[in-house]
C-alpha cells in the first residue's frame, strides 16, 4: 500500500501535461537547472484566441517553474510588419495578465549576430551561395518520393562563398538570384533537410532596421538561433513545426551551440465556428466584413475583450482545454461557458429591457417613487445591494406579454398575476392597441400593495418573475446583440468554398430603444453586468453618458453546461 503522500505525488504527476512532464524530467535529471520560455509572435496582425492559448502556456510554464518568459517579435520578414501590431500585441499580453519585465526582444535585434552565425556556417563548409533560379531550385529539390539533385554551386570554395555572401549583404545582386543554403542532404526523406535556404535577398525596407539590410534570414535559421541567444530552454511551438525540428537541431549542432534549446510541439487550438488565421482575419478587416480587428465578433483578443470576455475567463479556458499532441477542434460553446462561469461570479446584476413595452399601474399613486432594494450579486454577498426606483409607469419586455398565450407561457397575459422582480405582484387588466396597426402600445395593470419586495403575505404563488425599468428613470441605450460570425462549424475547412461564404448575415443586431436602470449612469466603459434574465453584457469602449452603447457578451443559456450534464 502506498501512503497518502505518495499517492498525492502520483496524482500530481498524472495531471501534468506532456510538456510539464518533459520539464520536470529535465529538472530532475539535471539536464536543465532553469526554465526559460518565449512567446514569439510575428507582428503582422492582431493576436487571436489561439495565440492567447500559447501565451497562457508559455508564460504559465515559466511562472509554474519559477522561470522566465520572453516576448519576442519574430520580425524576420520585412514586408508586412507594422508598429500598430506590435503595440496591440503588447497590450493584449498585459491584459491577459502576463509580463515580460524587461525582456522584450525583436528577432531583428539579432540580424548582425545571425549574419555572423551564417558566416560561421560557411567557414565550417556547411553553407553555400546558390545561384539557381527559383524554378530550378524547386526542380532540384525533388519530391517526397523522388530524390533531390545537388546544386552545381554546392561545392564552391569557402572563400568564394564568403565573398559572395558579403556581396549579397552589400546588395550587389538582384533579388532572387542568390541564396545562402545549408549543405545538408539532397536525398533526405525530410524535404526541409534538402539544402534549405538560410538567407535570401530582399531589397525591402524593414520596420525597425530600415534599409540597413537587403538579406534576411529564413524562419528556421532565425528562430532556433534567437532561442539560443536568449537562453531559451524549452521552445514551445505548434505541431506544424514538428517536421522542422531536425533542421532546428541541425543548425544548433552545426554551430556548436550549447546548451541547446529544445523545440516541443503541441496541437494548435482550433475552435468550431471560428477562423484562426491572421491572414483570413485581415481579409475580414480589410474587406469591411467586420468593424476592425477589435470587432466584438472577431476571435481576436481585442475583439473578445471588447465583447466583454474577461482575462480570467480566457486563462481558465486555456487551462481547461489543456495541451494536446494531436490536432482537434474545441467546441466554441466551451469558451462561452468559461466566460459565463467567470461573469457569474464577478458581474453585478442589473435590469435592462431590450424591447420595451410600457406598463401603467392604474392604482399606484401618480407621483410616488419608491427606492427598491435589489441585490447586486447573489453569488457574492460582499457586493451588497443598490436602490432601484419604482414608479407608476415602467417597461417590461415585449415578449413577456402575450394576448393569446400558448399552454406553457407563464408570463404576463390579460387577467394573470405575475411578480415584478424585487417589487410587487401585478395583474394585467387591459391592453391598449394602435387602432390602425393593431400593435400593442401599452398595458394597464393593478398592483397589490401587500406584496412589496415581491412576496405575498398570504402565501399566494405566481408562476413568473419579470424584470422591469421605471419609465421616467430609464436610461436609453443601444444594445448590440452578437451572434456567431460564421454559421458553419468549419468555415475554413472547405476546399470548394471560400470561408467568407459562411459569414452569418445575422451576426449583429442593433437595438436602439433599450431601457436600462439608472444605476448604469456612472458605469465605466468595459464594465460587465448580468442583465437579469437576458445574459451578460458590457459597456462598449465607445460608450458615453449621452450615447450609451452596450455589447452582449453571451446569453444566459449555456449549451456547454447542458452537454456536460448528459
Ligand atoms: P496564424 O497562422 O493564425 O496566422 P501564426 O502561427 O502565423 O498564426 P505567429 O505570430 O507566428 O502566428 O504565432 C505566435 C505564436 O503563437 C507561435 O508560437 C504559434 O505557434 C502560436 N500560435 C499561433 N496560432 C495558434 C493556435 N491556433 N493555437 C496555439 N498556438 C498558436
Ligand atoms: Mg507564423
Amino acid at each position: 500500500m502506498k501512503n497518502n503522500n505518495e499517492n498525492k505525488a502520483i496524482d500530481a504527476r498524472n495531471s501534468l501535461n506532456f510538456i510539464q512532464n518533459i520539464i520536470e524530467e529535465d529538472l530532475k535529471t539535471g539536464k536543465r537547472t532553469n526554465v526559460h520560455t518565449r512567446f514569439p509572435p510575428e507582428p503582422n496582425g492582431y493576436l487571436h484566441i489561439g495565440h492567447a492559448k500559447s501565451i497562457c502556456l508559455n508564460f504559465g510554464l515559466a511562472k509554474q517553474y519559477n522561470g522566465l518568459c520572453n516576448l519576442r517579435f519574430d520580425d524576420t520578414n520585412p514586408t508586412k510588419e507594422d508598429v500598430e501590431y506590435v503595440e496591440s500585441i503588447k497590450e493584449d499580453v498585459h491584459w491577459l495578465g502576463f509580463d515580460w519585465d524587461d525582456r522584450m526582444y525583436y528577432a531583428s535585434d539579432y540580424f548582425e549576430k545571425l549574419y555572423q552565425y551564417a558566416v560561421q556556417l560557411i567557414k565550417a563548409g556547411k553553407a553555400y551561395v546558390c545561384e539557381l533560379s527559383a524554378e530550378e531550385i524547386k526542380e532540384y529539390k525533388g519530391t517526397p518520393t523522388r530524390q533531390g539533385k545537388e546544386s552545381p554551386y554546392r561545392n564552391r570554395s569557402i572563400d568564394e562563398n564568403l565573398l559572395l555572401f558579403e556581396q549579397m549583404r552589400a546588395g550587389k545582386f538582384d533579388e532572387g538570384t542568390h541564396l545562402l543554403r545549408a549543405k545538408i542532404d539532397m536525398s533526405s526523406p525530410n524535404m526541409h533537410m534538402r539544402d534549405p535556404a538560410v538567407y535570401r535577398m530582399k531589397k525591402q525596407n524593414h520596420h525597425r532596421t530600415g534599409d540597413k539590410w537587403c538579406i534576411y534570414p529564413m524562419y528556421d535559421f532565425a528562430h532556433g538561433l534567437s532561442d539560443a541567444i536568449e537562453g531559451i530552454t524549452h521552445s514551445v511551438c505548434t505541431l506544424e513545426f514538428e517536421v522542422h525540428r531536425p533542421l532546428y537541431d541541425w543548425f544548433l549542432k552545426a554551430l556548436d551551440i550549447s546548451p541547446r534549446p529544445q523545440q516541443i510541439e503541441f496541437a494548435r487550438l482550433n475552435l468550431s465556428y471560428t477562423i484562426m488565421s491572421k491572414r483570413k482575419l485581415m481579409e475580414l478587416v480589410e474587406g469591411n466584413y467586420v468593424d476592425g480587428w477589435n470587432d466584438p465578433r472577431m476571435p481576436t483578443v481585442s475583439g473578445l475583450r471588447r465583447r466583454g470576455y474577461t482575462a480570467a475567463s480566457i486563462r481558465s479556458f486555456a487551462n481547461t482545454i489543456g495541451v494536446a499532441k494531436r490536432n482537434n477542434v474545441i467546441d466554441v460553446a466551451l469558451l462561452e461557458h468559461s466566460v459565463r462561469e467567470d461573469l457569474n461570479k464577478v458581474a453585478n446584476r442589473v435590469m435592462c429591457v431590450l424591447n420595451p413595452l410600457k406598463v401603467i399601474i392604474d392604482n399606484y399613486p401618480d407621483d410616488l417613487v419608491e427606492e427598491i432594494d435589489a441585490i447586486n450579486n447573489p453569488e457574492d454577498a460582499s457586493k451588497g445591494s443598490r436602490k432601484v426606483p419604482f414608479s407608476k409607469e415602467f417597461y417590461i419586455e415585449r415578449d413577456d406579454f402575450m394576448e393569446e398565450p400558448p399552454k406553457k407561457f407563464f408570463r404576463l397575459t390579460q387577467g394573470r398575476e405575475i411578480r415584478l422582480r424585487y417589487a410587487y405582484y401585478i395583474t394585467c387588466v387591459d391592453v391598449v392597441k394602435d387602432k390602425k396597426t393593431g400593435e400593442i402600445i401599452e398595458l394597464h395593470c393593478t398592483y397589490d400593495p401587500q406584496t412589496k419586495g415581491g412576496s405575498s403575505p398570504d402565501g399566494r404563488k405566481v408562476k413568473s418573475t419579470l424584470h422591469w425599468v421605471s419609465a421616467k428613470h430609464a436610461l436609453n441605450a443601444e444594445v448590440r446583440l452578437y451572434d456567431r460570425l460564421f454559421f458553419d462549424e468549419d468555415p475554413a475547412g472547405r476546399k470548394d468554398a471560400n470561408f467568407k461564404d459562411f459569414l452569418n448575415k445575422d451576426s449583429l443586431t442593433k437595438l436602439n430603444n433599450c431601457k436600462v436602470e439608472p444605476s448604469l449612469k456612472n458605469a465605466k466603459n468595459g464594465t460587465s453586468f448580468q442583465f437579469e434574465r437576458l445574459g451578460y453584457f458590457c459597456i462598449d469602449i465607445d460608450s458615453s453618458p449621452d450615447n450609451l452603447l452596450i455589447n452582449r457578451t453571451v446569453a444566459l443559456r449555456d449549451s456547454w453546461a447542458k452537454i456536460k450534464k448528459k
Side-chain angles (χ1 to χ4, degrees), residues 38-42 44 48 50-51 53-54 236-238 240-241 266-269 276-279:
R38 86 288 171 262
F39 172 65
E42 192 180 341
N44 61 350
H48 53 59
H51 296 116
K53 164 75 211 175
S54 174
V236 178
C237 63
T238 40
E240 66 274 21
F241 290 100
F266 74 104
R268 65 170 43 235
L269 166 66
M276 207 104 78
S277 125
K278 274 183 280 189
R279 192 179 52 74

Side-chain angles (χ1 to χ4, degrees), residues 8 123 234 249 253 255 294 406 471 484:
K8 262 189 208 149
K123 285 184 175 161
H234 301 86
D249 291 337
K253 196 163 168 222
L255 290 164
N294 67 347
R484 287 174 185 159

Side-chain angles (χ1 to χ4, degrees), residues 257-310:
I257 284 167
S258 156
R260 284 179 211 152
Q262 179 186 357
Q263 177 180 305
I264 304 169
E265 310 86 18
F266 74 104
R268 65 170 43 235
L269 166 66
N270 299 304
L271 267 187
S272 61
Y273 296 95
T274 311
I275 53 161
M276 207 104 78
S277 125
K278 274 183 280 189
R279 192 179 52 74
K280 293 196 175 83
L281 294 173
M282 172 105 59
E283 240 181 285
L284 294 179
V285 173
E286 290 184 341
N288 292 317
Y289 294 95
V290 292
D291 186 19
W293 284 97
N294 67 347
D295 184 303
R297 291 165 292 180
M298 290 281 269
T300 50
V301 174
S302 50
L304 291 165
R305 176 165 66 234
R306 187 167 187 179
R307 174 89 170 245
Y309 274 75
T310 55

Side-chain angles (χ1 to χ4, degrees), residues 178-235:
H178 291 66
L179 193 65
L180 184 72
R181 299 176 70 180
K183 197 190 273 191
I184 308 183
D185 179 5
M186 290 308 290
S187 59
S188 170
N190 182 340
M191 298 292 287
H192 296 285
M193 300 298 273
R194 295 189 185 175
D195 290 10
V198 180
Y199 262 92
R200 67 210 189 281
M201 295 200 62
K202 267 198 174 190
K203 294 188 171 171
Q204 260 164 15
N205 189 278
H206 183 281
H207 81 121
R208 294 192 77 241
T209 57
D211 290 326
K212 182 162 180 225
W213 294 90
C214 54
I215 53 172
Y216 290 94
M218 302 301 291
Y219 176 87
D220 285 315
F221 180 72
H223 200 82
L225 291 171
S226 302
D227 284 344
I229 291 168
E230 292 176 16
I232 300 304
T233 54
H234 301 86
S235 178

Side-chain angles (χ1 to χ4, degrees), residues 27-306:
L27 294 173
K28 205 172 82 190
T29 59
K31 179 178 169 191
R32 309 275 178 197
T33 51
N34 68 319
V35 172
H36 201 148
T37 56
R38 86 288 171 262
F39 172 65
E42 192 180 341
N44 61 350
Y46 280 59
L47 298 182
H48 53 59
I49 180 78
H51 296 116
K53 164 75 211 175
S54 174
I55 291 167
C56 292
L57 180 59
N58 280 297
F59 281 92
L61 287 169
K63 201 166 178 182
Q64 182 182 359
Y65 294 102
N66 257 324
L68 300 170
C69 180
N70 297 355
L71 174 63
R72 182 198 313 146
F73 291 104
D74 178 358
D75 60 349
T76 48
N77 194 346
T79 43
K80 38 186 181 174
E81 286 140 10
D82 201 310
V83 270
E84 178 197 346
Y85 302 136
V86 168
E87 289 311 312
S88 76
I89 290 169
K90 283 157 63 180
E91 186 185 356
D92 288 352
V93 175
H94 272 152
W95 179 74
L96 282 168
F98 301 105
D99 197 6
W100 52 88
D101 303 314
D102 56 353
R103 297 176 317 282
M104 185 181 89
Y105 304 115
Y106 290 87
S108 57
D109 292 341
Y110 310 136
F111 279 173
E112 187 59 46
K113 276 190 190 156
L114 294 172
Y115 178 81
Q116 293 307 331
Y117 275 131
V119 168
Q120 196 183 322
L121 271 187
I122 296 173
K123 285 184 175 161
K126 290 173 179 165
Y128 62 97
V129 173
C130 182
E131 289 173 51
L132 291 176
S133 68
E135 295 90 84
E136 286 167 327
I137 286 183
K138 201 163 165 240
E139 169 60 28
Y140 276 60
K141 195 135 213 173
T143 65
T145 51
R146 177 168 58 84
Q147 281 202 359
K149 223 167 51 177
E150 292 188 352
S151 160
Y153 303 99
R154 200 173 198 260
N155 296 312
R156 281 186 147 139
S157 72
I158 289 174
D159 284 344
E160 196 184 352
N161 278 317
L162 285 173
L163 180 67
L164 286 166
F165 189 45
E166 215 178 290
Q167 289 174 329
M168 277 172 68
R169 176 182 185 162
K172 292 257 162 70
F173 312 118
D174 288 335
E175 262 185 42
T177 58
H178 291 66
L179 193 65
L180 184 72
R181 299 176 70 180
K183 197 190 273 191
I184 308 183
D185 179 5
M186 290 308 290
S187 59
S188 170
N190 182 340
M191 298 292 287
H192 296 285
M193 300 298 273
R194 295 189 185 175
D195 290 10
V198 180
Y199 262 92
R200 67 210 189 281
M201 295 200 62
K202 267 198 174 190
K203 294 188 171 171
Q204 260 164 15
N205 189 278
H206 183 281
H207 81 121
R208 294 192 77 241
T209 57
D211 290 326
K212 182 162 180 225
W213 294 90
C214 54
I215 53 172
Y216 290 94
M218 302 301 291
Y219 176 87
D220 285 315
F221 180 72
H223 200 82
L225 291 171
S226 302
D227 284 344
I229 291 168
E230 292 176 16
I232 300 304
T233 54
H234 301 86
S235 178
V236 178
C237 63
T238 40
L239 224 47
E240 66 274 21
F241 290 100
E242 193 172 12
V243 282
H244 297 244
R245 188 174 357 117
L247 183 55
Y248 181 100
D249 291 337
W250 187 91
F251 283 126
L252 295 172
K253 196 163 168 222
L255 290 164
D256 244 341
I257 284 167
S258 156
R260 284 179 211 152
Q262 179 186 357
Q263 177 180 305
I264 304 169
E265 310 86 18
F266 74 104
R268 65 170 43 235
L269 166 66
N270 299 304
L271 267 187
S272 61
Y273 296 95
T274 311
I275 53 161
M276 207 104 78
S277 125
K278 274 183 280 189
R279 192 179 52 74
K280 293 196 175 83
L281 294 173
M282 172 105 59
E283 240 181 285
L284 294 179
V285 173
E286 290 184 341
N288 292 317
Y289 294 95
V290 292
D291 186 19
W293 284 97
N294 67 347
D295 184 303
R297 291 165 292 180
M298 290 281 269
T300 50
V301 174
S302 50
L304 291 165
R305 176 165 66 234
R306 187 167 187 179

